[in-house]
Each structure stands twice: as structure tokens, then as C-alpha cells.
Amino acid sequence: MEEFSKLIEIPVTYSMEDVNQHMNNAQYAALVQDLIALEVGHPVKLNNLDISFSSAVASPQTLKVGVINQGDSWKVAGFNPEGRLSFVAKAQCVLW
């Protein structure tokens, strides 16, 4: 968590869960896209996304996420309430 200058808290809601009662993979992808757009200040379109999952989160937990610009790509990571890595994503995008 130290490499991120700021972490944003995202509440995980019931509608974000899959049938296994964990946050749905598509929700992680949408979260990555939204966080990069928030960081740059306008919408982006993902053209490459690689997500590695480490630990599940579910409602009503809060996911703490951070974003880092790595030149031609972005790193987005999320941490569960205990501070354990939940996911890490590497994304490339184009600006809209």
C-alpha cells in the first residue's frame, strides 16, 4: 500500500457480487476504468487489461484502491479491510 500516494475507499455493495457472493470480475474491470478516468479527469477506454486476484471481497466490506501512472500503462490495486492485497491490475487505455 505504501507505493500509492492516496487510497480511495469503495464500498462493495450486494449488486456488485456474483453467485459466489464475492465481487464480480466485471465489477473489478469497471472499477479500474473508472479510477483511471477519475485520475486523468475524463473518460478512458481500456484497450488492454490484466487483473490478478489475490483475496475476495464481499458486501458490506470496503475495498481500498490506489492508482499509479506507469508511463504507457496504469497500475491499480485494491486492498481488503485487513490490508491484504485483493487484486492488482495493469491497464492500457486510450483517452476519449
Side-chain angles (χ1 to χ4, degrees):
M1 277 196 278
E2 306 83 36
E3 65 185 299
F4 297 98
S5 59
K6 65 179 177 182
L7 293 174
I8 300 170
E9 292 190 2
I10 306 292
V12 178
T13 62
Y14 178 75
S15 65
M16 297 168 83
E17 293 181 348
D18 58 22
V19 296
N20 297 315
Q21 297 179 331
H22 300 121
M23 190 166 152
N24 185 293
N25 292 355
Q27 294 293 326
Y28 286 99
L31 180 61
V32 168
Q33 184 175 13
D34 289 344
L35 289 168
I36 294 171
L38 182 64
E39 192 72 17
V40 299
H42 49 80
V44 297
K45 180 179 178 182
L46 298 178
N47 59 4
N48 190 15
L49 177 62
D50 181 30
I51 304 177
S52 297
F53 300 98
S54 299
S55 62
V57 293
S59 176
Q61 293 178 320
T62 299
L63 190 62
K64 292 183 179 181
V65 293
V67 181
I68 297 175
N69 184 331
Q70 297 183 314
D72 66 341
S73 65
W74 293 84
K75 179 179 179 181
V76 180
F79 303 89
N80 69 18
E82 292 79 36
R84 286 186 43 219
L85 182 67
S86 177
F87 79 96
V88 63
K90 184 172 183 178
Q92 293 177 318
C93 58
V94 293
L95 306 177
W96 276 357

